[in-house]
Amino acid sequence: MEKSLFQFIWKNSARYQMAILLVTILSYPVSYILLDLPKTITNEAIQGSNFPVELFGIQLGQIQYLAVLCILFLLLVVVSNCIKLYLNVYKGRLGERMLRQLRFELFQRVLRFRLPHFKKVSSGEIIPMITAEVEDVGGFVGEAFALPAYQGGMLVVQIGFIFMQDPLLGLAAISLYPVQGYIIPKLQQKVVRLSRQRVKNVRVIADKVGESISGISEIHSNDTSAWHSADLSDRLYRNFRIRFDIYNRKYFIKFVNNFMNQLTPFFFYFIGGYLVIKGQLSIGALIAVIAAYKDLAGPWKELLAYYQMTADVSVKYQTVVENFDPPDLYDKQRLLDGESLVLKGPLTLDKLGLSGAGTGRGVHGVSLNVEPGKPLAVSGVDGSGRAELLQMAAGLLSPTSGAVSINNTNFESMSESTLGRQIAYVGGHLHVWTGTIRDNLFYGLRHRPQEKVEYEGSELKKRQRQLKEAAMTLNPHFDLKARWEDYVRADAGSMQELEDKALELCKVAGFSRDLYLLGVETVINPGEKEELNGSLIPELVEARKALREKIQNDTKLQNLVEFWDPEKLNMSANLAQNLFFASPKEHFMTIEYVPADPQISAFLKKTGFDVLLTDVGLQIAKTMVELFADVSTDSDLLNRYSFISREELPEFARIVNEQKGEQRRKRLRDVDRVSLIALALKLIPAKHRLGVLDDDMCEKILAARKQFMETVGKDNARFEFFDPDTYLTTLSIEENLVFGHARLDRRDARLKIQQVLQELVRERDLINPIRRAAFDYQVGIAGAKLSSHQRRSICLVRALLKNAHIYVLDETASSVSATDMALREELRKLLSDKILMFGVSNESVAEEFSAVVYLENGRVIER
Amino acid sequence: MTIDAEVQALSRVPLFQGLEPSKLRLLAFISDRIEFQDGEHLCHQGDDGDSAFVVLSGKVAVFVDENEVARVGQYAIIGEIAILCDVPRTATLRAVGTTHILAISKDDFLKLIAEFPKVSLEIMRVLALRLEKTTRELAQVRPAST
């Protein structure tokens, strides 16, 4: 990568820089005439006397001449501003493009780092480099050549003018430049050094913040927040000192510059005055020189600012780029090569060596041959070199000596499109991507887009523009919207078949039960995947009815659920659900927000429920305040039972207090009303038993429920009504099937219902569709919502699905438990024609395999 | 049935007799109201006791070693020892007909006591009276047996 900023800019944008320069030079005459024209207008057109004037062969009177000149002036104003606009847009666009290219190049380099390099760099440091630190480069690129050329040109012209008036004065004008030229870079050097420190310090800060976030549970469990606070605070202080130092020096440079600039006129007055007195220079010339010198200050200042900015941006560029140039970077071709070889035959590990670099985790002279269909167990405890050996066999780690090859082709010479498709590796450290289970299972099939998306009309134009920009910035042209899953690789013909295949493999991996449990929790949206969910939705609605019947007809299950019934209040649901009898489609619509929503608040006002609910809320608040008033603040009774949290209690106590006297409602503030209504809406009658709902109120709620549906309309964009015949896209599958609330006053009601549900699902053959629905389950940040078993299962299925030739499994299904044992058996069967290397730390597990190598301290030992 | 009815039920329980109404209300509020169908079990002999039951309506049959030894009705408190100390359930409880129970969980009850020392004083007094009564009865029985 280019070591200096200017190399980078010139190499990637020389053409555009020339264009900018050209247009800049073109704008010189325009600006010059524009500056000169007002003088002509005042001197010749307004104060002139020799009329008529001849212009391009036409005789013009004074007024006409004035008009012509003014129109010319207007024209030039327009042209000059158009050039400026064009130039600025051009520069801006060039800057943004270069920024994009730089960022992409940096990211691509991250992809080319070898694994061991990631032990030395942290994401906390890399992220600010790619994002914030290079930001300024974008703004600088457009000015890199144009600004010094333009302002420098101006400067030369002005100085030339002064020299033409009098060489001595010219010398006086530039007499201090050498001094400035010596002092300012000296000062700037220090600023550059400080800038470097600042950048590095900020990186450390970013890294520390990142580490605190990932280690947050350690911080809490060890009471080390004070230590981390002090650590960060120390860094921030260092940052403050560096920044303030930079600030001081920068302004000192400005100060020196200003001082010197104002010192020069001293020579003018002295030398120029002397010359005038001696009669060697006219007074007019002296005044002209002094005026010209004033004009020098502008370009000079600009150039100085440019110089400072160049230094600043260069430092940033260099401090970033030096981190992305490790000597052992993978070749770019390895990443970009699209050709994928099909590997066949045995895998050979020839005298593999890996230097442990003092960690004691090296590998020494291991030679192995693994035939397809003859699984090999690699047994060794942690630190025996097992993990490293397997990573080398999977082509992830490059050996320091020896070679891994298949059919005499060294892994080192293969591209990632071969290695990544022909080898499947599940190791000790797993990663599950943020997204859905589907994204994760099919991740191993997403090598390149599999089809071309056909665009039309304006979409086509947008896509073409995107492609053009990609080409200009050396970005890839792959279409993110296309289908990336390679069906053929997984022996499937369609998404449906691929999912079937994945379901089968999930069964093998022991992930089916989890899939069901995640599936019932999944919220599916039939609109999105019509072809897959189309038939499922009606079936689920049918199952809902069957479940209801089953529960109602079974004496043991009776009364366990309160179903959504348009004609009845649901005592186990909160008032909001009871009143609106709907579920909001927007995620921000929490109960706290509901009363403030314009549509809802209008409805509440219309039906008089604003007053009713405020009263209910006030009553609840009163009771809560009474009940919990003298409970000490550190008791968790309040937070567990009340629907007012400890923090909110004083606020509600105040409202209750204010509402004691007469004429109370008048004094009620809108904010308070909203919180009271929200409080009322949270009430669950069966749980809270406060007796605030009398029969009259219940009837009103039922009436309002109908009214609400009529007001907003059945088909609206914001709410979904609890209609027994409709599948609700805002509820999970379980909520849709049960279609009510497990009764809160029945013990273990939810558990019993779930059992019944599972039976019913099995009877009606819905278990597979529900598992399939789990593919749309959001796994949280890096799979945080999944258990470690689930994460491992997903990674295993991901590996199995891609039909690789070589399987390297480490620390996967390697325990002595019966389930793992069965899974190993299944895996051996499933991968009977593949190369399988299986890493275990337990020797009794290793003995299950016909071929075993034992590792100790990075060497194969005899058993 | 609202919390007021539950408070009334609690006030008839001897163990809670000395408590102020406001504390009874809090106790009622933090307890769970559970409905049991005919034949459903409240708890099994030998289980860890984690809550006391106050019968709000209906009847509860008490079984010791599968023999019914008693049948209790409204306002009875059963298993109250469980909320004061860790002992296994000494009997199996089964609902007779639809029965409503107020279940007072041990954890919450202990928290309430920790919160209001006066409550524990009242309960101590009731327990002491019981102990005194038992001791006296024992003293009366003992001379006869020797």
Side-chain angles (χ1 to χ4, degrees):
Chain A
M1 201 160 176
E2 295 76 24
K3 294 270 178 247
S4 91
L5 178 62
F6 277 93
Q7 276 172 9
F8 171 77
I9 294 175
W10 189 252
K11 190 182 160 200
N12 293 298
S13 69
R15 235 177 75 203
Y16 309 105
Q17 297 292 354
M18 294 310 285
I20 292 175
L21 270 179
L22 204 70
V23 178
T24 310
I25 291 167
L26 274 182
S27 72
Y28 271 143
V30 178
S31 343
Y32 179 74
I33 302 174
L34 199 58
L35 285 176
D36 197 52
L37 205 53
K39 214 161 53 191
T40 320
I41 292 176
T42 42
N43 290 350
E44 292 177 23
I46 302 174
Q47 294 180 325
S49 51
N50 303 326
F51 293 103
V53 203
E54 197 183 296
L55 207 69
F56 304 118
I58 307 162
Q59 300 279 327
L60 293 172
Q62 189 172 14
I63 301 292
Q64 286 162 317
Y65 187 53
L66 177 69
V68 167
L69 286 184
C70 284
I71 288 169
L72 188 65
F73 178 76
L74 188 68
L75 216 68
L76 283 174
V77 167
V78 173
V79 169
S80 132
N81 279 296
C82 282
I83 293 178
K84 263 189 202 149
L85 178 69
Y86 174 78
L87 210 54
N88 281 330
V89 170
Y90 195 93
K91 281 183 198 166
R93 194 178 51 187
L94 179 64
E96 295 306 325
R97 278 187 187 142
M98 295 292 290
L99 183 60
R100 178 182 177 192
Q101 183 176 341
L102 178 60
R103 283 187 170 148
F104 181 75
E105 166 81 25
L106 294 178
F107 177 69
Q108 204 175 39
R109 277 170 177 265
V110 172
L111 296 179
R112 285 163 60 198
F113 286 169
R114 283 172 198 263
L115 283 197
H117 190 67
F118 288 98
K119 288 177 186 159
K120 290 178 245 163
V121 294
S122 75
S123 62
E125 287 176 333
I126 295 274
I127 296 165
M129 287 187 215
I130 299 182
T131 52
E133 287 180 26
V134 295
E135 183 89 48
D136 294 340
V137 173
F140 180 74
V141 169
E143 304 288 0
F145 294 95
L147 193 137
Y150 183 75
Q151 302 292 358
M154 291 286 223
L155 199 67
V156 170
V157 169
Q158 307 278 18
I159 292 175
F161 175 76
I162 297 175
F163 265 95
M164 260 154 44
Q165 301 299 320
D166 189 284
L168 210 56
L169 278 181
L171 279 179
I174 59 165
S175 60
L176 284 177
Y177 282 7
V179 184
Q180 278 163 295
Y182 177 76
I183 294 180
I184 291 172
K186 282 262 160 183
L187 290 169
Q188 187 65 35
Q189 249 177 17
K190 281 213 168 120
V191 174
V192 167
R193 213 163 34 234
L194 284 170
S195 295
R196 253 174 197 282
Q197 282 179 19
R198 181 186 64 190
V199 168
K200 288 194 173 146
N201 191 45
V202 169
R203 265 179 215 161
V204 176
I205 291 176
D207 189 38
K208 297 222 179 241
V209 172
E211 215 184 355
S212 302
I213 290 171
S214 43
I216 190 73
S217 53
E218 286 296 315
I219 294 182
H220 290 318
S221 65
N222 288 306
D223 180 28
T224 47
S225 54
W227 192 86
H228 284 277
S229 302
D231 188 21
L232 195 77
S233 163
D234 184 51
R235 283 283 164 187
L236 287 175
Y237 174 61
R238 201 170 300 177
N239 192 43
F240 159 80
R241 262 181 18 216
I242 297 172
R243 288 186 69 101
F244 188 56
D245 236 14
I246 293 177
Y247 181 87
N248 278 339
R249 278 169 210 275
K250 267 193 179 165
Y251 276 85
F252 185 63
I253 293 174
K254 284 222 165 104
F255 160 78
V256 168
N257 188 50
N258 284 342
F259 180 71
M260 299 259 181
N261 276 350
Q262 285 174 7
L263 207 60
T264 316
F266 161 80
F267 295 106
F268 285 155
Y269 292 122
F270 199 65
I271 302 174
Y274 175 80
L275 290 175
V276 170
I277 292 167
K278 286 276 167 189
Q280 287 169 352
L281 189 75
S282 76
I283 182 83
L286 180 62
I287 289 171
V289 165
I290 290 176
Y293 182 74
K294 262 193 189 142
D295 289 339
L296 272 186
W300 181 254
K301 226 179 199 165
E302 290 280 335
L303 281 175
L304 182 77
Y306 170 80
Y307 172 68
Q308 287 190 312
M309 185 159 91
T310 309
D312 193 41
V313 178
S314 286
V315 167
K316 282 184 180 159
Y317 177 85
Q318 280 165 16
T319 41
V320 167
V321 165
E322 65 197 13
N323 287 288
F324 289 83
D325 240 346
D328 57 348
L329 209 61
Y330 278 127
D331 192 48
K332 208 173 189 168
Q333 215 44 41
R334 183 185 149 107
L335 209 68
L336 300 181
D337 208 348
E339 197 191 5
S340 175
L341 305 173
V342 177
L343 300 183
K344 281 197 188 86
L347 176 74
T348 315
L349 279 63
D350 185 28
K351 299 195 202 84
L352 274 194
L354 181 76
S355 92
T359 56
R361 288 167 62 187
V363 174
H364 312 284
V366 175
S367 292
L368 291 172
N369 202 30
V370 195
E371 299 275 344
K374 289 183 184 156
L376 174 77
V378 178
S379 170
V381 291
D382 246 15
S384 62
R386 187 196 71 228
E388 287 76 14
L389 179 71
L390 290 173
Q391 282 188 344
M392 285 191 281
L396 289 170
L397 206 59
S398 303
T400 36
S401 64
V404 187
S405 55
I406 187 158
N407 269 343
N408 293 325
T409 318
N410 194 325
F411 273 11
E412 288 299 303
S413 65
M414 290 185 201
S415 69
E416 223 166 77
S417 58
T418 301
L419 294 171
R421 297 179 209 193
Q422 295 291 324
I423 305 173
Y425 171 78
V426 183
H429 178 76
L430 298 172
H431 189 78
V432 168
W433 299 92
T434 309
T436 60
I437 290 184
R438 176 195 310 277
D439 292 336
N440 275 293
L441 290 181
F442 302 157
Y443 180 75
L445 300 171
R446 291 179 174 169
H447 309 298
R448 298 285 189 278
Q450 295 299 312
E451 52 184 18
K452 214 173 157 289
V453 182
E454 294 300 332
Y455 293 95
E456 273 173 28
S458 64
E459 288 298 308
L460 181 67
K461 276 211 182 102
K462 276 186 204 160
R463 177 69 190 150
Q464 278 168 341
R465 170 154 191 226
Q466 197 182 3
L467 283 175
K468 193 180 132 215
E469 286 292 333
M472 292 186 98
T473 50
L474 307 182
N475 272 243
H477 56 270
F478 302 130
D479 191 351
L480 201 61
K481 287 199 193 101
R483 169 175 69 83
W484 282 66
E485 289 85 8
D486 185 352
Y487 297 154
V488 183
R489 174 142 292 280
D491 289 333
S494 63
M495 190 43 123
Q496 178 88 20
E497 279 178 44
L498 185 61
E499 287 188 0
D500 288 341
K501 186 111 190 162
L503 280 176
E504 244 172 72
L505 292 173
C506 285
K507 206 170 195 172
V508 172
F511 189 47
S512 285
R513 198 185 134 66
D514 295 277
L515 267 186
Y516 170 77
L517 292 176
L518 296 172
V520 288
E521 272 182 54
T522 308
V523 177
I524 51 174
N525 195 346
E528 279 172 13
K529 293 205 177 57
E530 196 108 26
E531 71 279 16
L532 294 174
N533 294 329
S535 61
L536 178 61
I537 298 300
E539 277 178 55
L540 287 175
V541 175
E542 282 304 306
R544 169 197 295 175
K545 287 179 184 155
L547 183 70
R548 184 171 188 162
E549 226 163 87
K550 190 168 178 172
I551 291 174
Q552 276 172 342
N553 294 339
D554 189 328
T555 46
K556 275 198 176 158
L557 302 174
Q558 252 174 13
N559 303 329
L560 280 181
V561 184
E562 269 190 275
F563 295 105
W564 293 121
D565 187 337
E567 307 299 329
K568 260 199 329 230
L569 278 199
N570 190 327
M571 291 303 187
S572 298
N574 63 30
L575 266 197
Q577 286 171 315
N578 267 308
L579 180 60
F580 305 117
F581 209 59
S583 153
K585 287 183 183 172
E586 296 140 322
H587 292 293
F588 62 84
M589 281 285 268
T590 56
I591 287 196
E592 279 78 13
Y593 181 81
V594 163
D597 183 79
Q599 197 178 9
I600 301 268
S601 118
F603 168 76
L604 292 179
K605 197 162 255 169
K606 200 177 82 184
T607 49
F609 259 91
D610 55 342
V611 179
L612 282 173
L613 287 178
T614 313
D615 282 348
V616 171
L618 194 60
Q619 232 173 309
I620 297 171
K622 229 183 244 169
T623 314
M624 289 300 126
V625 170
E626 259 172 46
L627 282 180
F628 291 98
D630 39 0
V631 172
S632 64
T633 46
D634 52 348
S635 165
D636 67 342
L637 279 176
L638 186 60
N639 281 347
R640 267 191 66 192
Y641 286 99
S642 166
F643 30 174
I644 297 179
S645 71
R646 193 162 53 208
E647 293 74 31
E648 292 168 329
L649 195 66
E651 193 60 13
F652 279 105
R654 173 188 62 78
I655 299 176
V656 169
N657 218 10
E658 279 176 11
Q659 299 303 310
K660 268 182 185 156
E662 289 297 308
Q663 277 188 328
R664 55 202 184 93
R665 202 154 291 132
K666 275 188 192 155
R667 293 205 313 250
L668 192 60
R669 277 185 279 165
D670 275 350
V671 220
D672 295 345
R673 189 192 308 279
V674 165
S675 22
L676 284 179
I677 293 178
L679 185 64
L681 289 177
K682 279 187 211 164
L683 180 85
I684 301 171
K687 186 175 173 197
H688 299 118
R689 320 188 297 278
L690 293 176
V692 286
L693 293 188
D694 49 19
D695 291 346
D696 181 43
M697 182 77 178
C698 292
E699 260 168 52
K700 277 185 185 154
I701 290 177
L702 289 177
R705 191 186 273 187
K706 284 204 185 80
Q707 224 173 327
F708 183 67
M709 202 198 294
E710 279 159 23
T711 324
V712 300
K714 215 171 148 95
D715 294 307
N716 67 87
R718 305 192 64 204
F719 304 95
E720 273 188 319
F721 291 97
F722 296 140
D723 172 7
D725 297 318
T726 322
Y727 188 89
L728 270 72
T729 56
T730 49
L731 300 184
S732 70
I733 290 184
E734 184 183 319
E735 286 167 322
N736 258 298
L737 287 178
V738 175
F739 208 61
H741 264 279
R743 268 177 64 167
L744 294 168
D745 57 349
R746 296 300 306 276
R747 195 188 268 174
D748 301 334
R750 175 128 196 258
L751 206 68
K752 286 178 193 160
I753 297 296
Q754 279 171 337
Q755 279 163 5
V756 182
L757 182 67
Q758 200 164 351
E759 276 166 36
L760 180 100
V761 161
R762 195 158 282 146
E763 276 166 30
R764 299 180 77 92
D765 260 347
L766 281 172
I767 206 147
N768 259 337
I770 289 180
R771 283 178 190 151
R772 198 188 288 267
F775 286 173
D776 286 321
Y777 182 84
Q778 294 284 344
V779 298
I781 304 297
K785 277 155 82 182
L786 301 176
S787 71
S788 70
H789 160 74
Q790 289 170 337
R791 282 203 289 272
R792 191 160 286 280
S793 302
I794 285 179
C795 290
L796 183 60
V797 175
R798 178 195 290 171
L800 293 176
L801 206 55
K802 76 176 185 182
N803 248 330
H805 178 60
I806 301 169
Y807 277 83
V808 180
L809 307 180
D810 193 16
E811 293 177 47
T812 300
S814 59
S815 82
V816 287
S817 71
T819 41
D820 271 7
M821 201 163 172
L823 177 52
R824 282 194 293 274
E825 190 59 48
E826 286 284 343
L827 285 174
R828 276 193 296 261
K829 231 185 277 168
L830 199 70
L831 304 173
S832 59
D833 58 340
K834 314 274 188 197
I835 292 174
L836 172 60
M837 289 180 80
F838 201 93
V840 289
S841 52
N842 189 306
E843 286 185 17
S844 67
V845 174
E847 277 155 21
E848 283 174 29
F849 289 77
S850 49
V852 188
V853 288
Y854 296 94
L855 282 180
E856 215 175 275
N857 296 327
R859 288 187 176 79
V860 177
I861 50 162
E862 298 297 327
R863 273 287 142 109
Chain B
M1 200 158 182
T2 68
I3 200 161
D4 296 322
E6 289 159 14
V7 172
Q8 242 191 349
L10 284 179
S11 68
R12 288 171 191 246
V13 173
L15 191 60
F16 304 134
Q17 245 164 14
L19 295 191
E20 294 167 42
S22 69
K23 297 294 162 295
L24 281 181
R25 240 171 113 74
L26 184 56
L27 183 61
F29 187 72
I30 63 176
S31 304
D32 289 319
R33 210 179 104 99
I34 310 176
E35 182 186 307
F36 287 93
Q37 304 283 311
D38 185 30
E40 264 187 288
H41 287 96
L42 280 68
C43 66
H44 294 274
Q45 192 174 347
D47 284 357
D48 282 340
D50 58 354
S51 51
F53 305 106
V54 176
V55 184
L56 296 173
S57 71
K59 279 194 166 55
V60 174
V62 183
F63 292 86
V64 174
D65 300 330
E66 288 168 32
N67 302 315
E68 184 172 337
V69 292
R71 194 166 273 220
V72 296
Q74 206 179 16
Y75 303 138
I77 183 165
I78 340 167
E80 74 271 32
I81 297 304
I83 60 172
L84 292 173
C85 54
D86 293 309
V87 284
R89 294 282 188 206
T90 50
T92 295
L93 300 178
R94 200 166 75 193
V96 181
T98 304
T99 305
H100 288 101
I101 299 289
L102 192 66
I104 303 167
S105 96
K106 181 167 106 184
D107 293 350
D108 292 331
F109 184 68
L110 291 181
K111 262 177 222 154
L112 188 77
I113 286 182
E115 204 52 47
F116 305 108
K118 265 176 106 179
V119 174
S120 53
L121 270 180
E122 280 305 326
I123 289 175
M124 235 154 59
R125 214 167 55 83
V126 173
L127 288 178
L129 281 175
R130 274 199 201 174
L131 181 64
E132 194 266 344
K133 193 172 149 225
T134 322
T135 318
R136 194 154 13 113
E137 279 168 5
L138 196 64
Q140 278 169 1
V141 176
R142 201 171 267 168
S145 64
T146 45

